[in-house]
């Protein structure tokens, strides 16, 4: 998390400011509250790369529901946490002191990025289930640490091409 805090560019070049306080309220503290270049506040929640993305049985095979991959318990919990954080930040938008302190120019529906698990060895089935999962979420994007690394590599390659 310290590496990501010092290298917020990894989340995308549209995030220009890491807000000083990630405390949403007494019970909720996000990993990062970021201000985008258009003045919106977004939430980033970092989990562990070793967490299973998809639900697995005791033997290691996927625990499917009617033939479909299902998110792991940890991923479902992370999505629930993201929903709660969005709700709590929306409530904070009505507090002018909080908005002033956190420099949120445009207090409109925040989004949340959840980074969890790995995907470097995924098959087409897993990639398809991942696409369907993200398509079903509103205001929440779930990616893996491998996706985050790929974003960073693309950003760096783009910067290197511009420099040449």
């Amino acid at each position: 998390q310290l590496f990501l805090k010092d290298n917020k560019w990894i989340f995308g070049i549209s995030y220009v400011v890491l807000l000083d306080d990630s405390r949403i309220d007494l019970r909720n503290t996000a990993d990062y509250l970021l201000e985008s270049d258009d003045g919106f506040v977004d939430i980033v929640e970092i989990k562990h790369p070793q967490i299973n993305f998809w639900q697995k049985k005791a033997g290691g095979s996927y625990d499917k529901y009617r033939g479909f991959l299902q998110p792991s318990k940890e991923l479902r919990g992370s999505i629930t946490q993201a929903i709660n954080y969005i709700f709590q930040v929306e409530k904070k938008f009505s507090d002018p002191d909080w908005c002033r302190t956190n420099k949120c120019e445009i207090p409109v529906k925040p989004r949340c990025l959840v980074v969890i698990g790995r995907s470097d060895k995924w098959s087409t089935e897993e990639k398809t289930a991942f696409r369907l999962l993200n398509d079903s979420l509103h205001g929440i994007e779930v990616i893996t640490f491998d996706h985050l690394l790929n974003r960073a590599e693309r950003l760096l390659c783009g910067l290197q091409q511009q420099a040449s």
Side-chain angles (χ1 to χ4, degrees):
Q1 283 191 353
L2 290 176
F3 174 80
L4 295 175
K5 182 177 182 179
D6 292 338
N7 295 281
K8 66 181 178 299
W9 59 268
I10 286 176
F11 298 114
I13 57 175
S14 65
Y15 291 115
V16 293
V17 177
L18 179 64
L19 301 180
D20 292 334
D21 188 13
S22 58
R23 179 171 291 287
I24 299 169
D25 60 22
L26 290 175
R27 291 182 297 260
N28 296 293
T29 302
D31 288 330
Y32 304 112
L33 292 177
L34 297 171
E35 181 185 352
S36 61
D37 57 4
D38 54 7
F40 292 96
V41 173
D42 287 335
I43 305 161
V44 176
E45 189 60 29
I46 306 295
K47 300 302 179 190
H48 199 278
Q50 300 309 321
I51 292 175
N52 286 331
F53 198 92
W54 304 111
Q55 189 67 39
K56 290 192 174 186
K57 295 179 185 175
S61 63
Y62 287 124
D63 184 13
K64 297 182 180 182
Y65 178 78
R66 296 186 180 208
F68 299 101
L69 293 176
Q70 55 184 333
S72 68
K73 180 179 179 181
E74 293 85 359
L75 177 54
R76 290 190 313 269
S78 299
I79 292 169
T80 302
Q81 184 180 26
I83 292 166
N84 214 5
Y85 283 177
I86 290 170
F87 177 65
Q88 297 303 325
V89 169
E90 284 178 317
K91 290 192 320 188
K92 285 296 191 182
F93 284 162
S94 63
D95 178 356
D97 291 334
W98 190 88
C99 285
R100 193 171 24 262
T101 301
N102 289 290
K103 304 174 191 88
C104 43
E105 297 174 23
I106 309 171
V108 177
K109 185 101 176 153
R111 295 175 299 189
C112 186
L113 174 67
V114 177
V115 185
I116 184 171
R118 300 290 310 269
S119 59
D120 59 326
K121 295 182 173 93
W122 277 2
S123 67
T124 301
E125 178 185 31
E126 293 154 316
K127 291 175 184 177
T128 302
F130 172 76
R131 180 69 171 224
L132 293 172
L133 172 69
N134 269 303
D135 189 55
S136 70
L137 300 173
H138 181 73
I140 299 170
E141 180 184 14
V142 178
I143 64 171
T144 66
F145 281 87
D146 296 301
H147 293 119
L148 187 62
L149 177 61
N150 289 338
R151 284 183 182 185
E153 288 173 346
R154 282 193 306 275
L155 281 170
L156 289 175
C157 286
L159 291 173
Q160 288 174 347
Q161 288 175 352
Q162 285 180 345
S164 355

